[in-house]
Amino acid sequence: MSNTSNSYQSQNTKSAIRAYLGGSFDPVHNGHLQMAMTVYQCLLPIAEQQQRELYVSLLPNARSPFKEDSTDPKHRLAMLKLATQESPLCINELELWQAPPVYTIDSVQTLRTRYPHDSLIFVMGMDSARSLEHWKNGLQLTDYVSLWVFDREENFDSDIDIDIKIDKNVSKTELHHSLTSQLPKLLQPLTIDSITELLAANPQSLTNSFCVKNSHQGHIYIDPRPVTAISSTHIRQQLYQQLPQAPQSLNITHSTDMQIASLQPINDIIGNTAPNSLAKWLNPAVYQYIIAHQLYSAAQFR
């Protein structure tokens, strides 16, 4: 069965829980998967207890309005399928094939219209949450979905994954206040203390075809577990730096052969013995796909 999900409202009478992690996924890396799997593992016991369906989806965008270029959507989708094929994660193609720019506010409105009775959660890092007032109608996201915010650590080469890293001298209340203060002021009153509360804002039916009315405004849960913030940009730079810049006099076939030969061996990725961080952050199947299609290299003439 495909792990790509574009289905509309389930036939189940009970509302489902749907969480979405958006991004360019250019390429998808283990930081994305760790964050999504943490959400899944936290929500699964609640969903089972409440006898509700659970869907945690990666939501690749067509192209970020803040980026001038991105890899062909068909490649990004193929890499996502490879990375999630042995996981419970889904892929939602809502944004992928739209003409850019595509804005998050439009996507959450569409999702709310499709799933008027479900608990909808949009997952993001604190770096994104801090900048919501600069997004198109970013402060209105909570009119349609709740937010799950991770405190991302800006440390690209750290071995830390999603372990709890909280100073024992800092109380839970102080930590919550410190993290909440990073949000735009208008959103700070919407923060809650537990994941269960995040699911409490169940919307009512659509009042009409153009407007969604919620029984409660969306909540914001700030996860205190810092996630190491490896970026796709950093991975692209590493991949590009591994490849020699072939002289223009070389033909494209010889150039590509040189680049593939110089890449970090796939066995190093599988065995996690490579000297740099690619082994820690790239799924082996994704890495092999990148090699096979000469992505993020001089062969693309980018």
Side-chain angles (χ1 to χ4, degrees), residues 255-297:
S255 171
T256 299
D257 289 344
M258 284 179 57
Q259 290 155 9
I260 292 177
S262 69
L263 276 168
Q264 186 176 312
I266 189 66
N267 289 338
D268 285 354
I269 289 289
I270 294 173
N272 199 24
T273 60
N276 61 44
S277 63
L278 286 179
K280 291 182 284 188
W281 293 112
L282 281 180
N283 177 289
V286 171
Y287 186 79
Q288 196 164 24
Y289 185 92
I290 290 171
I291 294 174
H293 294 273
Q294 295 98 52
L295 302 180
Y296 317 116
S297 71

Side-chain angles (χ1 to χ4, degrees), residues 25-34 83 152 228-233 235 281-283 286:
F25 304 109
D26 192 11
V28 58
H29 54 69
N30 292 341
H32 297 133
L33 302 178
Q34 289 168 358
R152 290 178 48 153
T228 305
I230 183 70
S231 72
S232 293
T233 299
I235 289 178
W281 293 112
L282 281 180
N283 177 289
V286 171

Side-chain angles (χ1 to χ4, degrees), residues 101-257:
V102 180
Y103 296 99
T104 301
I105 188 64
D106 299 324
S107 297
V108 298
Q109 288 174 338
T110 298
L111 291 169
R112 175 52 68 204
T113 301
R114 288 185 180 182
Y115 309 114
H117 304 287
D118 291 355
S119 296
L120 303 185
I121 301 168
F122 200 82
V123 183
M124 64 178 63
M126 181 60 81
D127 52 337
S128 294
R130 281 194 296 261
S131 66
L132 280 176
E133 55 194 342
H134 302 296
W135 294 23
K136 179 185 176 183
N137 299 331
L139 299 182
Q140 297 176 23
L141 292 181
T142 50
D143 291 344
Y144 304 95
V145 298
S146 290
L147 303 181
W148 187 322
V149 179
F150 281 93
D151 180 23
R152 290 178 48 153
E153 289 275 312
E154 297 297 334
N155 186 353
F156 293 151
D157 295 317
S158 172
D159 288 321
I160 299 168
D161 293 330
I162 300 189
D163 297 326
I164 296 179
K165 229 187 32 160
I166 299 174
D167 188 339
K168 293 182 180 179
N169 295 321
V170 177
S171 71
K172 183 177 179 181
T173 301
E174 290 173 327
L175 177 63
H176 179 76
H177 177 74
S178 174
L179 293 173
T180 298
S181 66
Q182 298 182 48
L183 296 174
K185 288 185 178 181
L186 288 177
L187 297 181
Q188 292 178 15
L190 302 180
T191 59
I192 43 86
D193 295 322
S194 72
I195 296 168
T196 304
E197 289 180 81
L198 195 67
L199 305 176
N202 290 319
Q204 298 174 343
S205 301
L206 297 180
T207 55
N208 56 58
S209 59
F210 302 103
C211 177
V212 179
K213 181 176 177 60
N214 295 339
S215 56
H216 302 285
Q217 190 172 33
H219 298 315
I220 301 175
Y221 173 68
I222 303 179
D223 199 310
R225 293 166 289 192
V227 178
T228 305
I230 183 70
S231 72
S232 293
T233 299
H234 184 71
I235 289 178
R236 289 197 304 271
Q237 290 170 348
Q238 284 201 20
L239 286 165
Y240 189 85
Q241 289 168 3
Q242 285 189 25
L243 305 176
Q245 300 297 314
Q248 293 184 355
S249 59
L250 290 179
N251 63 49
I252 183 67
T253 302
H254 182 57
S255 171
T256 299
D257 289 344

